[in-house]
Amino acid sequence: MGLGLLASRTLRSSSRIFHNNGPTTHFLRTITSTPDLNNADASASAVQQPDLPPRNPVGGARVHFPNPEDAIEVFVDGYPVKIPKGMTVLQACEVAGVDIPRFCYHSRLSIAGNCRMCLVEVEKSPKPVASCAMPALPGMKIKTDTPIAKKAREGVMEFLLMNHPLDCPICDQGGECDLQDQSMAFGSDRGRFTEMKRSVVDKNLGPLVKTVMTRCIQCTRCVRFASEVAGVEDLGMLGRGSGEEIGTYVEKLMTSELSGNVIDICPVGALTSKPFAFKARNWELKGTESIDVTDAVGSNIRIDSRGPEVMRVVPRLNEDINEEWISDKTRFFYDGLKRQRLNDPMLRGPDGRFKAVTWRDALAIVAEVMHQIKPEEIVGVAGKLSDAESMMALKDLLNKMGSNNIFCEGNGMHPNADLRSGYIMNTGISGLEKADAFLLVGTQPRVEAAMVNARIRKTVKATNAKVGYVGPAADFNYDHRHLGTDPKTLVEIAEGRHPFSSALKNAKNPVIIVGAGVFEREDKDAVFAAVETIGKNNNVVRPDWNGLNVLLLNGAQAAALDLGLVPESDKCIESAKFVYLMGADDVSLDKLPDDAFVVYQGHHGDRGVYRANVILPASAFTEKEGIYENTEGCAQITLPAVPTVGDARDDWKIIRALSEVAGVGLPYDSLGAIRSRIRTVAPNLLELDERQPATFSTSLRPEVSQKVSETPFTPAVENFYMTDAITRASKIMAQCSALLRK
Amino acid sequence: MASSLRRIATHSPQAAAWRSSLTPICRQFASDALVEIKPGEIGMVSGIPDEHLRRRVVIFSPARTASQQGSGKVGKWKINFMSTQKWENPLMGWTSTGDPYANVGDSALCFESEEAAKAFAEKHGWEYTVKKRHTPLLKIKSYADNFKWKGPPKTAE
């Protein structure tokens, strides 16, 4: 038997003509594993060939070696790979560039090993092994494309398809379905199952996730996601055998801010997006790789559009920021982009009603009014969704007019823009995974930055890190200790009188996260001073570790501070006669004098429009190219996915045009030119996709004489689902706030 | 099986001889060709209108679709023309566009490497920016972690 096989090998390698013949293919397809098992040496020598073509890991993956000495070598289809000890066979195959079919295995969830699709043949093993659960051992010879492995997977596929309905033509997952893809390779064209297919009652998981439970193949990815990543023990497995189903035990909605991710991880169409149901087919969609600006995390997203319409938003991999998850707000706010949009420039008439005017008239009126007003009475406010280019242009315009009263909403009236380390997340979002003690000051990451919260939860779960929290009563999805509600607690910790200070002291990599809600407090400097004292006493800032962090709230905040959007006087709103709101809806205009002239430039008819005299329609972030800096100091760029609505223009172009009409022309008229202007102010904003850490630590700050007040911290975000003009216009977000908010 | 056949073909002496006989023919099209193409020249002679040769494009590598685990399409490079000149045609409601490149980047241009995409953009004289490709990080995972002792049971405080 061994001879016959050897003979066939010689034939295969010596004659090129021979293996073009038909019968040989049958000859090659014979199951060869058993002779190889009996004659291991021969097969090994035949497999080891001198120069195999180099292979790249699947998806360009990088391999993390925790301990370089612990590398082992395994052979995947004869190709030797070095992997760290402890990796699974499936991971070894990935490093060798072999994609193993899988349903239950997901690289960011725990290993279940129940779908059996990843079966491979391992030499000297009597049966095919489930590669996702099998640890790779030194010298293991893994074979992924042998007839045994193929036959095993075909068997698994036949069982999976037994109870899977033939829904593909009406299924939303159709075209991007793992089961569909893999049945192309391993499915049979007919089944041997003649009974009735089972059917399962659909579950109601809320306004975001649509369920068709008959399609479920029990991979349990959603169950593991809910309990491991989202931190809600809502989903589980009920029943046994063919009665097995995924459910919530009792009728219950999935109340997690990450629930939309189960749509992505579901390998079949059992969990799909409810707002997207039957709206489009995925092959009609054009994907634009962009970023999300509805919070300060800057999650990487892909905006899927069909024609002039945004159809859905899906996450994109970025290990440093959002891994491959996004929050529900990011995923489902997109319908807000189609509602309440500002189409035309408008002017408020004497009767208090808006009427559409031409751009020329609108800009002429704004320029005229601007010139009649004393420079110190001109105020500019950048909104929370502003990009760096337009903020730069607005600041230059106001400075040319003689005013320096410009700020970004959310940064407060006394922003500290001098030391960059005082307003960014110095540890970095992925750096949080190294921490072993957290102190959260006035921040509720679960609603302020859901992706940062997911990182903290991952860390707490992996290392049992201790979490202390100072602030109003809040909902956490990990173990934490509520230390107090006001800044007095901070002083106690700083002086070492509080029981939590010992936990911080014993920690190797302590992390302190201050919420950006603190920026609006009167005693902001004192709070930051107390936090710094805690940092100093507990060795939080070292050359190799910086654990002092600020968690920002909005996409525009970090770039605004980098560009120096700091108001000259903190009473500027009270004395203003001309206010330029660039998408600013949440700035308090109660104290604004009644005779002030307000220009609102933005894309949504939201709060800012109520007080406006002139409306200049601008484009939303899905329609323009703009640089945004996230809370960890990483600048990223949005790309236009859809056309602008009506007569709207890009923000910086409006300001550039206004400067021309007002006779103070700005010296740039292209995005490239405005970026070289940014380079002179904040060069870090042009280093895209690369985190730029702060150079100086906050210890350079002057001494603060202010005392902390007893006013308790207040929640910075009232409603997770509605934080800005776009999300407030979204119907889906309104449904979520009504149903899911506790 | 296809891959094993290919391996045989590349390692057999006949194949090597066949390849070496091919190389002189191939070389004419490669680096030491007589004509050197300067940046932008292909665009100039291609008949493409001037305004489309002064475009800004983004070269990027599309990320894996979040709902699919397969990696067949991952690692390719594409050109995004940032084309948004689209509108709904009032007659039928179909999408109209005023940009000949509206569908070119997404469906027609696909490159094996970043360099190939850059060279293509340079030949046409497009001003390009390259977006960094994000790759996954493989960390050790083990089935045994499911049964690891995770400290004493939590008690309600």
Side-chain angles (χ1 to χ4, degrees), chain A residues 75-106:
Chain A
F75 300 89
V76 179
D77 295 336
Y79 178 74
V81 276
K82 280 239 169 4
I83 54 162
K85 199 177 157 197
M87 268 196 169
T88 60
V89 171
L90 190 142
Q91 286 179 312
C93 294
E94 276 191 343
V95 176
V98 179
D99 213 358
I100 302 290
R102 81 283 298 261
F103 292 114
C104 70
Y105 177 83
H106 192 280

Side-chain angles (χ1 to χ4, degrees), chain B residues 30-47:
Chain B
S31 54
D32 56 345
L34 285 175
V35 184
E36 198 178 294
I37 299 165
K38 294 200 191 75
E41 272 187 352
I42 291 287
M44 264 181 262
V45 298
S46 64

Side-chain angles (χ1 to χ4, degrees), chain A residues 62 91 99 109 111 181, chain B residues 68 71 135 138-139 141 146:
Chain A
R62 299 159 284 156
Q91 286 179 312
D99 213 358
L109 303 174
I111 299 168
D181 289 351
Chain B
Q68 278 171 303
S71 64
T135 50
L138 289 181
K139 286 186 179 164
K141 280 168 69 110
N146 290 337

Side-chain angles (χ1 to χ4, degrees), chain A residues 224-546:
Chain A
R224 280 174 285 146
F225 176 85
S227 63
E228 287 164 21
V229 181
V232 288
E233 307 276 342
D234 281 350
L235 294 174
M237 188 73 105
L238 289 155
R240 303 190 62 162
S242 66
E244 198 173 33
E245 54 181 274
I246 303 282
T248 48
Y249 304 114
V250 288
E251 177 81 33
K252 196 179 168 197
L253 305 184
M254 197 175 167
T255 51
S256 163
E257 70 285 357
L258 300 175
S259 66
N261 291 302
V262 298
I263 297 165
D264 284 337
I265 57 167
C266 184
V268 294
L271 305 174
T272 52
S273 164
K274 210 172 239 179
F276 181 67
F278 309 131
K279 289 281 188 303
R281 283 308 216 169
N282 65 76
W283 54 83
E284 309 169 323
L285 302 175
K286 180 174 172 283
T288 308
E289 305 212 330
S290 187
I291 57 151
D292 166 50
V293 303
T294 53
D295 57 26
V297 180
S299 305
N300 287 215
I301 55 169
R302 195 184 76 200
I303 301 170
D304 279 352
S305 57
R306 186 178 62 185
E309 215 181 335
V310 175
M311 298 308 290
R312 65 169 177 182
V313 171
V314 288
R316 185 156 70 81
L317 174 93
N318 187 331
E319 289 281 358
D320 296 329
I321 297 173
N322 58 324
E323 301 184 277
E324 54 188 275
W325 319 122
I326 50 173
S327 70
D328 283 355
K329 180 167 64 171
T330 310
R331 190 185 292 265
F332 293 112
F333 75 84
Y334 61 86
D335 71 323
L337 292 165
K338 295 168 210 161
R339 309 166 67 84
Q340 300 272 3
R341 288 300 294 268
L342 300 173
N343 291 331
D344 294 301
M346 280 186 269
L347 189 65
R348 196 188 286 275
D351 57 346
R353 300 182 77 87
F354 280 113
K355 81 177 188 301
V357 292
T358 60
W359 270 108
R360 184 185 289 271
D361 295 345
L363 291 178
I365 288 165
V366 175
E368 198 191 318
V369 175
M370 206 153 68
H371 273 298
Q372 286 163 3
I373 282 162
K374 277 187 274 173
E376 59 273 17
E377 289 171 349
I378 298 178
V379 177
V381 188
K384 46 173 70 163
L385 303 174
S386 309
D387 53 316
E389 288 93 341
S390 57
M391 286 193 284
M392 186 77 257
L394 183 64
K395 182 169 161 61
D396 282 349
L397 172 69
L398 259 60
N399 288 0
K400 282 216 168 191
M401 295 300 295
S403 159
N404 198 18
N405 279 320
I406 172 162
F407 60 95
C408 177
E409 63 181 352
N411 281 346
M413 296 312 276
H414 307 272
N416 185 342
D418 297 333
L419 290 167
R420 194 155 171 269
S421 53
Y423 57 86
I424 64 167
M425 185 166 248
N426 293 304
T427 316
I429 296 173
S430 57
L432 292 178
E433 283 184 33
K434 296 195 199 86
D436 50 3
F438 290 91
L439 176 62
L440 308 176
V441 180
T443 179
Q444 299 145 304
R446 195 169 178 188
V447 289
E448 290 174 19
M451 293 327 303
V452 172
N453 191 58
R455 278 297 170 142
I456 300 177
R457 186 185 144 75
K458 190 178 173 190
T459 315
V460 171
K461 225 174 127 1
T463 65
N464 281 327
K466 290 189 178 64
V467 181
Y469 166 65
V470 183
D475 191 19
F476 281 84
N477 49 8
Y478 38 83
D479 283 333
H480 71 286
R481 284 170 63 190
H482 195 180
L483 308 175
T485 55
D486 60 62
K488 289 277 178 220
T489 323
L490 287 182
V491 178
E492 279 174 33
I493 301 173
E495 289 164 1
R497 286 186 280 129
H498 198 278
F500 193 74
S501 43
S502 67
L504 272 181
K505 190 140 256 159
N506 296 333
K508 212 190 283 166
N509 292 326
V511 158
I512 306 175
I513 301 177
V514 186
V518 174
F519 285 158
E520 308 273 7
R521 284 176 68 94
E522 289 293 318
D523 59 342
K524 145 186 175 306
D525 289 325
V527 170
F528 273 101
V531 166
E532 258 158 55
T533 322
I534 299 174
K536 221 171 278 167
N537 296 348
N538 298 296
N539 217 7
V540 172
V541 183
R542 306 187 299 259
D544 61 326
W545 176 256
N546 191 340

Side-chain angles (χ1 to χ4, degrees), chain A residues 12-14 16 49 51-52 55 58-64 66 84-88 91 94-95 99 102 105-107 109-112 133 145 173 175-176 178 181 221 264 286 289 300 302 307-308 315-319 324 433 479 625 639-640 642-643 675 689, chain B residues 1 3-5 7-9 11-15 18 56 58 60-72 74-75 80 82-88 95 102-103 106 127 129 131-144 146 150-151 154 157:
Chain A
R12 277 155 69 190
S13 54
S14 62
R16 279 188 59 239
Q49 284 164 359
D51 54 333
L52 286 164
R55 297 210 208 167
V58 167
R62 299 159 284 156
V63 185
H64 173 71
K85 199 177 157 197
M87 268 196 169
T88 60
Q91 286 179 312
E94 276 191 343
V95 176
D99 213 358
R102 81 283 298 261
Y105 177 83
H106 192 280
S107 54
L109 303 174
S110 67
I111 299 168
D145 56 356
Q173 192 90 348
E176 49 176 10
D178 272 341
D181 289 351
R221 271 190 196 172
D264 284 337
K286 180 174 172 283
E289 305 212 330
N300 287 215
R302 195 184 76 200
R316 185 156 70 81
L317 174 93
N318 187 331
E319 289 281 358
E324 54 188 275
E433 283 184 33
D479 283 333
E625 211 186 327
L639 290 178
V642 288
R675 283 186 190 148
D689 288 329
Chain B
M1 197 180 66
S3 66
S4 66
L5 278 180
R7 206 178 300 148
I8 294 160
H11 289 284
S12 64
Q14 286 98 331
W18 183 70
R56 294 177 55 249
V58 175
F60 71 106
S61 178
R64 180 174 65 75
T65 313
S67 63
Q68 278 171 303
Q69 293 283 312
S71 64
V74 182
N80 179 355
M82 293 193 278
S83 161
T84 57
Q85 285 180 42
K86 285 178 201 159
W87 60 90
E88 217 162 75
T95 305
N103 299 305
D106 216 34
E127 183 191 339
T129 44
K131 274 188 106 173
K132 194 179 134 192
R133 177 184 172 198
H134 290 287
T135 50
L137 183 64
L138 289 181
K139 286 186 179 164
I140 296 175
K141 280 168 69 110
S142 121
Y143 185 63
N146 290 337
K150 296 181 187 80
K154 301 270 176 347
E157 281 175 51

